[in-house]
Amino acid sequence: QVQLVESGGDSVQAGGSLRLSCAVSGVIFRDYCMGWFRQAPGKEREGVAVGRVATTMYAESVKGRFTISKDNAKNTLYLQMNSLEPEDTAMYYCGITHTANCPTLLRSQYDYWGQGTQVTVSS
């Protein structure tokens, strides 16, 4: 059974930092393309940062501020978020896919999702 569990969301001031974690079980972790997505109220879920091995891709809005990484020994995906802005406020989800089109920010390409963790940035 595939399981993804996010954690690390919180309420922070603009300019602050957070690190999100996504613990993955039920799959061979290193074989999958993995990514972070977010969804703000009333908006579509959008890709933020995705990758597999050394290849990564970021949304323009987070380039230079967010970094995706993973620890294969711990089966955990991370998202380091620096210089947070109020516009980053959203529910953040991790997703995984076996697609050959990795990295991809297309939500439809992802097969499994976590339940989400809330990030709120105040000005």
Side-chain angles (χ1 to χ4, degrees):
Q1 181 180 353
V2 181
Q3 251 192 328
L4 289 75
V5 180
E6 302 96 333
S7 61
D10 205 345
S11 296
V12 297
Q13 296 273 344
S17 297
L18 283 174
R19 188 175 81 155
L20 305 183
S21 299
C22 174
V24 181
S25 60
V27 297
I28 301 175
F29 188 73
R30 65 180 180 275
D31 289 348
Y32 278 76
C33 182
M34 303 188 174
W36 287 97
F37 291 71
R38 66 186 180 188
Q39 187 166 16
K43 294 190 176 181
E44 298 267 322
R45 188 174 298 189
E46 62 174 357
V48 173
V50 299
R52 176 165 57 196
V53 193
T55 304
T56 57
M57 181 183 292
Y58 295 90
E60 284 297 322
S61 59
V62 306
K63 277 183 181 177
R65 300 188 298 122
F66 290 12
T67 303
I68 187 172
S69 63
K70 65 177 184 174
D71 185 331
N72 286 334
K74 295 183 179 180
N75 281 13
T76 302
L77 182 71
Y78 301 101
L79 183 67
Q80 178 66 43
M81 305 187 295
N82 298 328
S83 302
L84 283 161
E85 303 168 353
E87 293 74 22
D88 296 317
T89 295
M91 185 72 79
Y92 283 71
Y93 299 88
C94 61
I96 63 173
T97 173
H98 235 164
T99 182
N101 299 323
C102 186
T104 176
L105 290 169
L106 292 177
R107 179 188 60 189
S108 60
Q109 295 282 308
Y110 286 75
D111 304 312
Y112 301 100
W113 296 94
Q115 83 291 345
T117 187
Q118 178 67 38
V119 172
T120 303
V121 184
S122 57
S123 55

